[in-house]
């Protein structure tokens, strides 16, 4: 088995709130005098068994009650970057959910400034570049998303782009078209979760109505040959999250995971961790688990890493550096 943890890679599908490990959640809750609805770290971890996306989201939103201040968000980002760097991540495009914090009274400025400071400080320390993607919660009214974008625009320079997440089934992407248009006009890149639990039609809508550049998850594309052709021809990347799909029962087992079929169809698929504190692994763990279950070799692992650079929003100069790191890693492994 090749050692994939250190393969240099970009992480493109990572919810920073989903990196909140139980130990840090309790530390922050104590610091902020917040009562978490769990008895202990072990009690919280014992609940990490999910039926579907919604059962996970319920716990995810409950646990983030520990996050209150700008410093909390900086600490969260620093902890993530240290863990990610130890698993070969060299660039991270990080999602955050400001609406989930606003409803607890946390101002968007504290969220953006804290995350930016944490990413920058830890990035310098560990050699990891990155940026922030602000997600809209698709199960809230569009007007909430519009107001969130308006409140974030003074800090648009701190954002790479916008995304769309939370409960998917019954919340197709199309009604967010106007918010996404405004975000694009403000110079922001666009991505959206689609085809995680809901069918391929949601992916078509994300492409044709929202106009996104990248699709998060997108695994249900395997059910639609015309969509696979479209994704491959236009080189629209998918940010696939194998351990998340397993833990949220979007797939029955990793051996049945569509990743290999997506690659065979010529789709620019990437491997990512989604909410690693909850799903049993960071980026390198996802590479290793998928490679083992699907029998992926060195060349496919290298392709996935290269795809992560192509699919990222990094400037050309940084992309060239990352590709050179991947080349060097692959050359070392071909020799060994
Ligand atoms: N928010 C955090 N993780 C998510 C996921 N896997 N799907 C949709 N929304 C999310
Ligand atoms: Zn996600």
């Amino acid at each position: 088995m090749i050692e994939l943890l250190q393969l240099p890679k970009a992480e493109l599908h990572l919810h920073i709130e989903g990196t909140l490990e139980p130990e840090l959640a309790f530390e922050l809750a104590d610091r902020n005098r917040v009562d978490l609805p769990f008895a202990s770290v072990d009690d919280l971890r014992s609940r990490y068994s999910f039926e579907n996306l919604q059962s996970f989201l319920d716990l995810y939103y409950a646990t983030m009650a520990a996050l209150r201040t700008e410093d909390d968000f900086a600490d969260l980002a620093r902890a993530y970057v240290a863990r990610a760097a130890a698993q070969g991540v060299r660039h991270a495009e990080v999602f955050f959910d400001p609406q989930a914090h606003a409803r607890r009274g946390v101002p968007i400025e504290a969220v953006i400034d804290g995350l930016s400071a944490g990413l920058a400080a830890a990035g310098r320390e560990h050699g990891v570049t990155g940026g922030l993607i602000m997600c809209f919660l698709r199960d809230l009214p569009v007007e909430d998303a519009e107001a969130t974008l308006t409140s974030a625009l003074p800090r648009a320079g701190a954002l790479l782009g916008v995304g769309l997440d939370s409960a998917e089934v019954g919340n197709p992407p199309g009604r967010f078209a106007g918010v996404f248009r405004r975000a694009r006009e403000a110079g922001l890149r666009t991505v959206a979760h689609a085809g995680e639990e809901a069918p391929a039609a949601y992916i078509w809508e994300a492409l044709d109505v929202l106009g996104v550049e990248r699709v998060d998850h997108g695994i249900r594309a395997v059910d639609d040959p015309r969509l696979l052709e479209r994704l491959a021809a236009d080189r629209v990347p998918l940010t696939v999250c194998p351990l998340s799909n397993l833990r949220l029962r979007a797939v029955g087992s990793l051996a049945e995971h569509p990743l290999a079929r997506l690659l065979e169809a010529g789709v620019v698929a990437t491997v990512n961790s989604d909410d690693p504190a909850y799903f049993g692994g960071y980026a390198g763990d996802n590479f290793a688990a998928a490679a083992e279950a699907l029998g992926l070799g060195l060349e496919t692992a290298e392709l996935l890493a290269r795809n992560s650079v192509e699919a990222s929003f990094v400037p050309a100069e940084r992309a060239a550096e990352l590709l050179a790191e991947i080349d060097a890693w692959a050359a070392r492994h071909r020799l060994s």
Side-chain angles (χ1 to χ4, degrees):
M1 200 46 216
I2 27 168
E3 217 285 274
L4 294 176
L5 280 191
Q6 294 308 321
L7 167 59
K9 53 185 85 71
E11 168 128 84
L12 307 176
H13 185 156
L14 180 282
H15 302 264
I16 198 68
E17 297 89 348
T19 71
L20 181 54
E21 296 280 351
E23 291 78 7
L24 184 56
F26 272 88
E27 189 186 319
L28 298 181
D30 284 350
R31 189 160 95 186
N32 294 323
R33 296 184 167 65
V34 167
D35 244 347
L36 287 176
F38 318 109
S40 64
V41 163
D42 289 342
D43 174 40
L44 174 50
R45 238 194 211 102
S46 75
R47 298 171 194 237
Y48 285 7
S49 162
F50 308 109
E51 298 298 314
N52 52 29
L53 174 58
Q54 188 60 58
S55 66
F56 155 70
L57 289 172
D58 293 342
L59 192 68
Y60 167 83
Y61 292 126
T63 310
M64 66 174 81
L67 296 163
R68 307 295 312 199
T69 69
E70 189 174 319
D71 282 350
D72 298 342
F73 287 93
D75 289 350
L76 182 66
R78 269 197 294 270
Y80 161 67
V81 171
R83 282 178 185 267
Q87 295 208 354
V89 173
R90 295 285 175 272
H91 175 80
E93 297 182 0
V94 171
F95 295 144
F96 68 106
D97 287 332
Q99 289 160 285
H101 308 303
R103 62 188 166 207
R104 288 179 287 101
V106 182
I108 195 164
E109 294 78 11
V111 180
I112 295 178
D113 294 352
L115 292 176
S116 300
L119 284 183
R124 276 191 302 275
E125 187 180 337
H126 297 282
V128 177
T129 52
L132 291 172
I133 297 179
M134 179 176 79
C135 287
F136 303 114
L137 302 185
R138 68 199 310 155
D139 45 357
L140 294 185
V142 176
E143 295 71 28
D144 274 39
E146 292 281 8
T148 301
L149 178 60
T150 301
S151 68
L153 283 180
R155 279 173 168 69
L159 304 178
L160 270 181
V162 297
L164 186 68
D165 66 0
S166 203
E168 185 185 19
V169 174
N171 295 304
R175 64 195 177 95
F176 293 89
V179 194
F180 272 61
R181 191 176 326 108
R182 277 181 65 217
R184 248 190 315 275
E185 284 164 6
L188 298 172
R189 315 297 293 262
T190 58
V191 302
H193 284 54
E196 177 183 13
E197 283 188 337
Y202 282 47
I203 305 174
W204 283 109
E205 205 172 304
L207 297 175
D208 291 338
V209 183
L210 285 196
V212 297
E213 300 172 70
R214 196 161 81 193
V215 174
D216 298 312
H217 292 293
I219 54 171
R220 295 280 36 102
V222 286
D223 304 328
D224 183 338
R226 266 188 49 245
L227 179 55
L228 288 176
E229 274 173 30
R230 160 85 181 273
L231 293 168
D234 291 355
R235 297 196 73 72
V236 178
L238 301 186
T239 63
V240 176
C241 306
L243 289 173
S244 164
N245 298 149
L246 180 69
R247 294 298 185 94
L248 299 187
R249 307 188 193 211
V251 297
S253 71
L254 278 188
E256 301 160 47
H257 195 282
L259 176 64
R261 280 172 283 156
L262 293 167
L263 290 171
E264 276 159 28
V267 174
V268 185
T270 64
V271 166
N272 306 273
S273 65
D274 207 6
D275 300 286
Y278 293 86
F279 301 148
Y282 285 76
D285 301 315
N286 272 272
F287 266 74
E292 183 170 355
L294 296 167
L296 309 180
L298 177 64
E299 278 183 9
T300 307
E302 190 185 338
L303 171 68
L304 286 165
R306 291 181 161 282
N307 284 353
S308 76
V309 178
E310 176 181 341
S312 75
F313 297 139
V314 286
E317 204 172 297
R318 178 66 176 145
E321 280 173 14
L322 296 170
L323 291 172
E325 280 199 58
I326 295 167
D327 282 344
W329 180 92
R332 274 198 309 279
H333 284 74
R334 273 194 285 272
L335 288 176
S336 62

